[in-house]
């Protein structure tokens, strides 16, 4: 679906939003399944906000919403911190939800921005630790010795 339509069209957004408004769990699951074709796209935000406003009490559905939001599009992002940067972009998008008229959407946005902040910090730390380990390994290889434990071959 996303190959034919690179962004979720306004018509599809409107149709899915209406389906979520009048439907139940089954229709919402269908909508979420379609939205998975547009991971990382902000074009789906209106449908996701509608789902949050109706199903904020349903942990299963909310987990699916979070998964869609947290699956960033990294096509235009490069570098060691690309995942953290992609999540920063998602955080900016979710921050706009804080002005939604529905309290459940604002509450979700507040909580999810905090979650994204934690994810960004953890990813930056992970990359920095990996970088440090690579640097240490490179220095050990260049000096020809290392002061750490190295298993002896049999």
């Amino acid at each position: 679906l996303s190959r034919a339509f690179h962004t979720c069209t306004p018509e599809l957004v409107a149709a899915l939003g209406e389906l979520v408004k009048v439907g139940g769990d089954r229709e919402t699951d269908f909508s979420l399944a379609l939205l998975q074709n547009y991971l990382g796209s902000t074009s789906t935000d209106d449908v996701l906000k509608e789902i949050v406003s109706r199903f904020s009490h349903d942990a299963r559905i909310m987990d699916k919403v979070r998964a869609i939001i947290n699956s960033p599009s990294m096509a235009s992002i490069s570098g060691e911190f690309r995942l953290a940067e992609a999540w920063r972009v998602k955080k900016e998008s979710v921050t706009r939800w804080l002005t939604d008229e529905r309290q459940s959407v604002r509450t979700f946005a507040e909580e999810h921005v905090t979650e994204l902040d934690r994810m960004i910090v953890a990813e930056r730390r992970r990359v920095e630790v990996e970088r440090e380990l690579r640097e240490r390994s490179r220095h050990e290889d260049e000096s020809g010795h290392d002061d750490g434990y190295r298993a002896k071959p049999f």
Side-chain angles (χ1 to χ4, degrees):
L1 189 60
S2 61
R3 287 186 180 154
F5 303 101
H6 298 291
T7 61
C8 194
T9 65
E11 296 80 15
L12 181 57
V13 167
L16 291 176
E18 192 58 34
L19 186 64
V20 169
K21 279 182 188 176
V22 300
D25 288 5
R26 193 171 175 193
E27 291 78 13
T28 299
D29 285 338
F30 173 78
S31 297
L32 286 165
L34 282 179
L35 295 179
Q36 288 180 0
N37 288 289
Y38 300 101
L39 297 177
S41 173
T42 57
S43 63
T44 63
D45 283 1
D46 287 342
V47 180
L48 293 173
K49 287 190 286 187
E50 188 62 42
I51 292 169
V52 168
S53 75
R54 291 224 34 238
F55 295 94
S56 61
H57 61 280
D58 188 319
R60 182 186 63 80
I61 289 176
M62 296 310 295
D63 284 346
K64 290 180 179 182
V65 169
R66 282 185 202 88
I68 289 172
I69 292 172
N70 293 349
S71 299
S73 171
M74 296 187 291
S76 62
I77 301 173
S78 62
E80 285 183 299
F81 294 103
R82 72 185 201 156
L83 184 56
E85 178 60 19
W87 283 335
R88 186 194 60 76
V89 170
K90 292 305 284 183
K91 177 185 157 191
E92 286 178 8
S93 173
V94 174
T95 299
R96 290 190 288 272
W97 295 24
L98 294 170
T99 61
D100 194 276
E101 63 199 28
R102 297 163 290 193
Q103 180 61 45
S104 56
V105 173
R106 290 192 309 270
T107 300
F108 172 83
E110 289 170 5
E111 292 169 358
H112 203 67
V113 163
T114 301
E115 182 179 337
L116 285 164
D117 279 336
R118 284 192 301 265
M119 291 166 59
I120 292 165
V121 168
E123 177 62 12
R124 287 190 167 280
R125 281 189 192 133
R126 185 194 67 76
V127 169
E128 288 170 1
V129 166
E130 271 186 12
R131 182 190 296 161
E132 178 66 25
L133 290 172
R134 277 194 315 270
E135 192 66 25
R136 285 183 186 183
S137 177
R138 189 175 62 81
H139 286 303
E140 290 168 0
D141 291 346
E142 287 174 358
S143 67
H145 62 59
D146 95 47
D147 298 326
Y149 172 79
R150 181 167 275 142
K152 300 203 187 260
F154 290 99

